[in-house]
Amino acid sequence: MGPIERILIGLALVAAWLALQQATRRFRLPPPPWRLPLVAVILWCLLNGTARPAGLQWLGALDELATAYALVALLAWLSLECPEALRWWQPTAKILRDLLTLGLSALATVVVLQSQANLNLVGLVTTSAVLTAVIGLAAQESLKDLFAGIELQLDPPFREGDWISVGEESGTVESLHLMSTRLRCRDGSTVNLPNNTVADNPMRRFSRHKPVGNHFEIALGYEIPPARARQLLVRVMQDNPLVLNDPPPEVLISAYEDSQIRYELQAAQRGPSDGDRLRLRSELLEQIWYAVERQGWEFPYPVRELKRRQLQRDPAHPTGVDASLTAELLRRSWLFAQLDPEQVDRLATSVRCLRFGSGETIVAEGEEGDALFQVVDGEVEVFKADGSPLGRSVAVLGRDQIFGEMTVCTGEPRTATVRSRGECVLLEVEREDFMPLVEDDAGLLEALAAIVGQRRSELEKLSSPDAARRQTSILERMRQLFGIQVD
């Protein structure tokens, strides 16, 4: 056969492979192997039928080996991958497919080298005790990894996508190969662990489809009653939308130490990777700091300190807001700007100034409440429940804006969830703060009802009769809440 005929046959084989590839795409089958068949066609076109110099007769084994390897690859694709894609039988473990391919390739190598190059590998290995010993010692670790890989495939302790920790290495399983397991680490790098190392060492595993426990500790002082401390820590975790309700978050007392009580916190989340767990842990620790500060508590100092350090608070700290400026801050809002200035001055002495960290839940939809809030610095975001963990964002409130006024005036549950966007400072005005003012001047309720009713009517675009009825309804409800009897 001449070179032109071989080239034409090679082109025909390439065209047949392209047609096969199009057919597999149409029927959604795995793509056929192309590298080994392409190499086999090229070597066959170049070497088959050509005259070889004396002593180089073994070159004829090259195209024979390439053809044998290509046939093995096509056979594995046709007999294993395609039936699995068509769901004719259960998928075969990848390592078993690799072993079958390796065994057939080794058999083809022995046959081709013996027929084309007169090289008897089987006789050479079996008749040379020294060579057998050398090969056995050299392949000792590789054989351990090979058999460990078979064990991991036949009785898999993990799946691709699971997060595992083996020794000092941890990451998400990307793939399990013949000799090693590949992990994707938190920093984006990949680590190849020998299968023998994976099989012989203790392993921690988290499945990506199941809840993952996030465990960490925190210490609070003895002046805080443990029951109240546990209640606060549980509430912070429950308010975080990334913490699952099933299983519920849990707080346990771990130990009484020299100057502090240590608590163990356990929260369940989705996402088993190191990054997911560290991000949630960092977020919870940040929110706990703000929650402890709002309660007026402090984190404990070691008993060995003879003199407590005087820490200078940052200017954004709530106590840094001068009490004389609180009334001025209140008057910037649409609610308090229309009240009598003297009443606002009296009210300002009872108002609390609170600071929240990023992503904290300030009020939750459906819960009872008796306080309204005014934004002093930063922003808050309003969410309505829609079945998702965070809910649907409906508004963003900035400086001097107020939320929660309907709860104070009517006692109705919260109609939305409000969370902080970044660090923010709020003024909290409770229903009880209005009581001294109402006792001195019952007309304050009418003024508040008129302001709140007009505001709600504008937001809801009510007609004048509906707006009047809304204002009357608010006033009647406020009189009931504040215990005001009308003669």
Side-chain angles (χ1 to χ4, degrees), residues 89-411:
W89 54 65
Q90 293 295 325
T92 307
K94 181 179 181 299
I95 197 167
L96 296 181
R97 297 201 303 267
D98 294 341
L99 285 174
L100 179 60
T101 302
L102 180 61
L104 292 177
S105 299
L107 179 61
T109 301
V110 172
V111 172
V112 170
L113 290 180
Q114 185 170 0
S115 62
Q116 296 293 327
N118 295 322
L119 182 60
N120 189 355
L121 293 179
V122 177
L124 181 62
V125 172
T126 56
T127 57
S128 176
V130 176
L131 182 59
T132 303
V134 170
I135 293 177
L137 290 174
Q140 184 177 8
E141 293 300 324
S142 299
L143 289 175
K144 288 182 180 180
D145 293 333
L146 176 62
F147 286 111
I150 296 175
E151 178 186 351
L152 293 174
Q153 283 283 359
L154 295 179
D155 186 17
F158 55 82
R159 302 287 184 185
E160 292 184 0
D162 290 349
W163 182 94
I164 65 172
S165 173
V166 181
E168 297 182 355
E169 302 294 343
S170 61
T172 303
V173 179
E174 280 198 342
S175 57
L176 174 59
H177 298 282
L178 190 64
M179 309 297 289
S180 64
T181 299
R182 180 173 298 171
L183 303 183
R184 172 72 62 177
C185 301
R186 183 167 62 94
D187 59 2
S189 62
T190 58
V191 175
N192 285 334
L193 294 178
N195 285 335
N196 186 48
T197 301
V198 177
D200 285 351
N201 285 278
M203 177 193 305
R204 293 178 63 235
R205 167 191 175 244
F206 291 116
S207 173
R208 57 180 173 177
H209 303 297
K210 296 180 180 179
V212 175
N214 198 330
H215 174 268
F216 58 100
E217 293 185 344
I218 193 169
L220 298 175
Y222 278 95
E223 71 276 7
I224 306 172
R228 292 182 60 190
R230 293 179 60 196
Q231 184 180 14
L232 174 70
L233 297 174
V234 169
R235 185 170 67 248
V236 170
M237 291 191 289
Q238 289 176 337
D239 288 341
N240 192 300
L242 298 180
V243 176
L244 302 179
N245 294 324
D246 186 21
E250 188 176 15
V251 177
L252 301 174
I253 298 176
S254 174
Y256 292 104
E257 300 179 353
D258 290 342
S259 58
Q260 60 193 14
I261 303 176
R262 186 167 297 278
Y263 299 87
E264 291 186 4
L265 286 73
Q266 177 83 17
Q269 67 176 99
R270 298 289 182 189
S273 70
D274 283 334
D276 293 331
R277 290 184 288 117
L278 288 175
R279 278 188 291 270
L280 177 59
R281 187 180 308 171
S282 174
E283 190 172 313
L284 288 175
L285 288 173
E286 178 181 331
Q287 293 172 356
I288 288 171
W289 188 93
Y290 285 98
V292 169
E293 184 204 49
R294 288 194 298 273
Q295 294 294 325
W297 301 339
E298 292 184 350
F299 288 93
Y301 292 92
V303 173
R304 62 178 175 271
E305 281 196 17
L306 300 178
K307 181 178 180 181
R308 181 176 173 180
R309 294 179 297 171
Q310 298 295 325
L311 296 179
Q312 184 177 2
R313 298 188 183 274
D314 61 279
H317 191 273
T319 58
V321 179
D322 195 326
S324 63
L325 298 179
T326 305
E328 180 181 344
L329 294 173
L330 291 173
R331 292 190 189 99
R332 295 178 183 175
S333 67
W334 58 266
L335 176 59
F336 299 106
Q338 303 181 53
L339 297 181
D340 183 88
E342 294 183 1
Q343 292 176 327
V344 177
D345 290 337
R346 290 184 58 189
L347 180 65
T349 59
S350 303
V351 171
R352 298 177 63 207
C353 191
L354 305 177
R355 183 161 58 166
F356 289 83
S358 177
E360 284 199 87
T361 299
I362 303 169
V363 298
E365 183 174 355
E367 73 176 7
E368 302 293 330
D370 60 356
L372 62 85
F373 299 87
Q374 177 180 332
V375 182
V376 174
D377 190 26
E379 291 181 335
V380 298
E381 190 166 4
V382 184
F383 295 88
K384 296 287 289 185
D386 63 353
S388 62
L390 289 176
R392 174 173 54 91
S393 176
V394 296
V396 175
L397 306 180
R399 182 175 296 180
D400 301 331
Q401 291 186 286
I402 283 180
F403 60 92
E405 70 279 0
M406 291 301 293
T407 298
V408 172
C409 295
T410 66

